[in-house]
Amino acid sequence: MSEALHVHPEVITTHEVHHDEHGHGHHQETFISKYVFSMDHKTIGKQFLITGIIWAVIGGLFSVLFRLQLGYPDQSFPILETFFGHWAKGGQIQPEFYYGLVTMHGTVLVFFVLTAGLSGTFANLLIPLQIGARDMASPFLNMLSYWFFFLASIVMLSSIFIHTGPASGGWTMYPPLSALRQAGEGQRLGTDLWLISMALFIVSSLLGGLNYISTILNLRTKGMSMTRMPLTIWAMFFTAVLGVLSFPVLLSGAILLLFDRNLGTSFYLSDIVINGEILPNEGGSAILYQHLFWFLGHPEVYIILLPAMGMVSEILSVNSRKPIFGYMAMLGSLFAIAILAFLVWAHHMFVTGLNPFLGSVFVLLTLLIAVPSAIKVFNWLTTLWRGNIRFAPSTLFAIGFVSLFISGGLTGIFLGNSTIDIHLHDTMFVVAHFHIVMGVASFFGMFAGVYHWFPKMFGRYLNSTLGYIHFWVTMVGAYLIFWPMHYQGLAGIPRRYLDKRGWSSFNNFTELDKMITIVSIIVFAVQLMFVFNFFYSIFKGRKVTTPNPWGANTLEWTTPIRPGHGNWEGEIPEVHRWPYDYAKDGRDFIPQTEPVGEHESKH
């Protein structure tokens, strides 16, 4: 019996009970213990994924609503008044509600979909399966991490329905606007709920992150050395480390903001006059909040991107039937990105009056992060080069990720340079850049992961035809939506403005805005098609008949088609090799569990 079994007696007990329940009927799990308050990492991963999908639909719908306003600012849509009442008086979105929509769209997609949906789903699903563990180090904390996330979701959702409306200070929630209740409707209860929700969300992320780290370090099966781990697991490991080190900083920032709003403190407020009233607050600094926010905010970009990078590495290798190119270089670049992610936060603050010398240091560090990113891109392209590529939907989304990461990353070079950033800061150029490199690219990584591991999650396949339609419309649509925004930004169009008709210099972009709006509605409709494909396939999809449908080497494909709690029915398999032995010694693939042959060539 392997070491991992000794480390984790309580999980074995659960596993044995599971067998009893099927074999002898001694103990029957209830629906609630199996699907609601589950401690099985696979079920918790599915809970994160399904909650994330619901949030993605809500967050995407918000963007369609404010795109209607941007594309057709002079038209009214009576249906909006039916749904939103006084927030859309006369069928036109009111300014306060527009900012609320923009704020909730950013918050929901960055934190509740791309952070929780990506890490929560795939770290939970893959870590125990790919390292050879029965479950997480602490299944109970794992369950708690989902329910804290769910609670955060409920608090955030409730803020949309209150009379004064949701928070409307932007997803970054900068003070002094967010610190003053009298600054507007959205700065009242909606902002308090936003801050409480984020505090609960951070607790969820920390519980999950600590669990992922301790599981990877302590519960690997026999033979699974750190350098035999799939790149997916390395990516999840670095993601968890980033989260554990940076999320507490945002928690402190949010709690101090709650104090300023409700207890009369002055952490972020000083010398403010509002509506002719001189406020008594002295000695605070709004810039302090920006430091605290972006010290999380920049690692957050990589908390979202790294899991996608890990999964793309795995999927490209499996579907090009080739070993991943430069495994150790990929590892080193993941490590370098994780370190540099903490050293670049002030490039978001070049226009705050930052000392120019300090600015130049952050410019250097920001441009430096392009080196490990480029290593990853070249290694992905070299993995594909002359490969026997199988163009499954997961492969297409993985290649799409690489494309978006390159094109979105190149515009980051503009914004990382302080002199250029002063002109481009807070324009549509910034919106275009981070939506392509972080938003859409990470979604592509997530879709690739869902298409690839869906058979392991549910024992059925997603419909491939719908998958191909989903990919091509989303890929073309993403570029049509966000690429033109770069030109709007270069022309000086600010972000978050709901009506640009007052500026004659911006009027030549009217038709472009209409086109972007129409394309965004089409792309949103295709995402709804994916949601249909997902839920329909859970129950009616083509059944998986072989435990290893993709011919992959990693351990999750050695489990039964629908693994129970405990993953493997007998002993946990032992690992003898790295996970990327494809097209070697005349064989298509060699699983990690197969001993190395006496005359086998070294990788």
Side-chain angles (χ1 to χ4, degrees):
M1 200 179 267
S2 77
E3 296 158 7
L5 286 167
H6 294 297
V7 178
H8 217 316
E10 73 266 30
V11 175
I12 301 165
T13 313
T14 322
H15 183 48
E16 284 161 358
V17 166
H18 185 87
H19 275 295
D20 276 355
E21 142 200 351
H22 289 294
H24 311 99
H26 287 217
H27 168 76
Q28 193 64 42
E29 269 190 303
T30 64
F31 178 84
I32 287 181
S33 70
K34 191 170 181 185
Y35 294 109
V36 183
F37 296 110
S38 174
M39 292 196 207
D40 181 353
H41 68 98
K42 299 180 292 298
T43 305
I44 294 169
K46 292 175 203 170
Q47 288 174 323
F48 269 109
L49 180 58
I50 289 167
T51 313
I53 286 173
I54 293 165
W55 267 120
V57 171
I58 294 169
L61 184 62
F62 291 158
S63 66
V64 168
L65 290 172
F66 64 69
R67 275 307 326 173
L68 274 180
Q69 168 63 36
L70 288 169
Y72 302 93
D74 50 347
Q75 291 187 26
S76 65
F77 299 92
I79 192 168
L80 293 179
E81 191 167 14
T82 311
F83 281 108
F84 299 113
H86 71 287
W87 292 118
K89 218 175 290 173
Q92 284 198 309
I93 291 172
Q94 299 301 297
E96 191 74 29
F97 190 55
Y98 175 84
Y99 294 122
L101 286 175
V102 171
T103 302
M104 296 307 286
H105 164 75
T107 305
V108 160
L109 289 175
V110 169
F111 294 110
F112 289 73
V113 180
L114 291 172
T115 304
L118 204 53
S119 277
T121 299
F122 292 103
N124 266 308
L125 176 73
L126 296 177
I127 288 172
L129 283 172
Q130 288 197 337
I131 66 169
R134 296 285 182 201
D135 206 312
M136 286 289 174
S138 171
F140 179 72
L141 285 186
N142 205 19
M143 176 191 77
L144 275 187
S145 92
Y146 171 74
W147 285 104
F148 267 105
F149 167 59
F150 186 79
L151 196 57
S153 297
I154 297 300
V155 174
M156 189 65 78
L157 193 63
S158 65
S159 75
I160 297 165
F161 297 103
I162 58 175
H163 180 65
T164 51
S168 58
W171 77 279
T172 53
M173 210 52 72
Y174 281 175
L177 178 67
S178 61
L180 300 168
R181 291 177 170 281
Q182 59 271 57
E185 296 274 280
Q187 270 58 258
R188 295 182 191 168
L189 181 59
T191 301
D192 284 328
L193 290 172
W194 189 95
L195 292 164
I196 292 163
S197 171
M198 285 310 300
L200 291 167
F201 175 80
I202 291 165
V203 171
S204 158
S205 295
L206 293 175
L207 288 171
L210 290 168
N211 222 345
Y212 307 152
I213 293 166
S214 46
T215 305
I216 291 167
L217 292 179
N218 296 317
L219 294 186
R220 300 189 309 281
T221 187
K222 190 175 181 187
M224 178 64 81
S225 63
M226 295 293 270
T227 50
R228 284 180 179 168
M229 294 197 310
L231 288 169
T232 331
I233 302 300
W234 273 110
M236 300 297 181
F237 177 71
F238 285 124
T239 303
V241 171
L242 286 174
V244 166
L245 294 177
S246 62
F247 265 117
V249 180
L250 180 63
L251 182 62
S252 64
I255 288 170
L256 296 182
L257 190 52
L258 274 172
F259 284 178
D260 273 14
R261 290 172 54 79
N262 299 297
L263 300 178
T265 55
S266 297
F267 291 106
Y268 306 128
L269 298 172
S270 186
D271 309 319
I272 290 178
V273 179
I274 186 164
N275 296 332
E277 176 198 356
I278 301 173
L279 299 185
N281 305 82
E282 279 182 24
S285 166
I287 303 297
L288 167 63
Y289 177 86
Q290 290 197 31
H291 279 294
L292 295 174
F293 182 89
W294 288 116
F295 192 80
L296 159 89
H298 204 83
E300 170 66 20
V301 170
Y302 292 100
I303 288 169
I304 289 169
L305 270 171
L306 287 180
M309 287 176 170
M311 292 192 296
V312 162
S313 303
E314 176 76 16
I315 290 163
L316 289 181
S317 181
V318 170
N319 288 315
S320 60
R321 313 311 292 157
K322 274 180 66 185
I324 193 80
F325 184 86
Y327 176 86
M328 292 309 286
M330 290 293 246
L331 253 185
S333 58
L334 280 173
F335 182 62
I337 287 171
I339 298 288
L340 286 167
F342 281 106
L343 304 176
V344 295
W345 80 90
H347 70 213
H348 298 269
M349 300 170 60
F350 286 145
V351 297
T352 58
L354 192 72
N355 179 306
F357 173 73
L358 199 56
S360 67
V361 173
F362 280 97
V363 169
L364 175 66
L365 291 165
T366 301
L367 298 181
L368 208 54
I369 211 163
V371 176
S373 301
I375 290 170
K376 300 197 80 57
V377 166
F378 290 131
N379 285 11
W380 288 322
L381 296 177
T382 320
T383 302
L384 287 166
W385 178 251
R386 303 187 77 171
N388 185 13
I389 303 173
R390 176 172 55 200
F391 287 105
S394 57
T395 322
L396 291 174
F397 274 107
I399 295 169
F401 170 89
V402 178
S403 162
L404 290 154
F405 186 67
I406 295 168
S407 56
L410 287 172
T411 57
I413 297 170
F414 291 62
L415 296 170
N417 191 317
S418 55
T419 44
I420 303 172
D421 181 69
I422 287 165
H423 172 67
L424 295 174
H425 188 82
D426 251 348
T427 66
M428 295 302 287
F429 192 95
V430 177
V431 174
H433 160 71
F434 80 77
H435 273 83
I436 288 178
V437 78
M438 184 184 91
V440 187
S442 300
F443 261 111
F444 270 53
M446 192 175 182
F447 288 138
V450 171
Y451 282 100
H452 187 73
W453 280 288
F454 191 88
K456 183 48 58 188
M457 286 192 249
F458 298 105
R460 293 175 186 267
Y461 294 100
L462 282 160
N463 182 298
S464 290
T465 307
L466 293 181
Y468 293 126
I469 296 167
H470 179 212
F471 168 75
W472 285 110
V473 176
T474 310
M475 183 73 180
V476 174
Y479 274 118
L480 284 175
I481 291 166
F482 296 112
W483 203 253
M485 289 183 189
H486 289 104
Y487 302 108
Q488 293 185 323
L490 288 166
I493 294 185
R495 65 202 280 202
R496 299 190 184 131
Y497 277 37
L498 80 163
D499 188 349
K500 301 185 280 277
R501 286 174 298 168
W503 286 269
S504 55
S505 56
F506 297 157
N507 286 343
N508 53 348
F509 287 104
T510 309
E511 293 305 311
L512 186 61
D513 269 328
K514 283 182 183 166
M515 184 276 288
I516 293 173
T517 298
I518 291 164
V519 175
S520 62
I521 292 168
I522 294 167
V523 170
F524 181 69
V526 169
Q527 307 319 307
L528 293 180
M529 187 193 75
F530 164 75
V531 173
F532 165 77
N533 188 5
F534 181 87
F535 286 107
Y536 180 82
S537 299
I538 289 175
F539 302 106
K540 300 284 187 183
R542 188 164 54 90
K543 285 188 175 177
V544 176
T545 53
T546 167
N548 190 0
W550 310 126
N553 292 338
T554 40
L555 290 179
E556 74 268 32
W557 306 107
T558 63
T559 61
I561 292 171
R562 293 291 302 270
H565 192 175
N567 299 333
W568 287 271
E569 288 181 345
E571 288 192 11
I572 299 177
E574 191 177 323
V575 168
H576 298 280
R577 60 178 71 232
W578 77 323
Y580 300 109
D581 273 338
Y582 294 102
K584 183 183 178 190
D585 297 340
R587 294 178 62 185
D588 184 37
F589 69 101
I590 311 174
Q592 280 190 281
T593 51
E594 188 173 313
V596 179
E598 206 175 312
H599 305 295
E600 197 174 314
S601 59
K602 291 270 195 306
H603 74 259

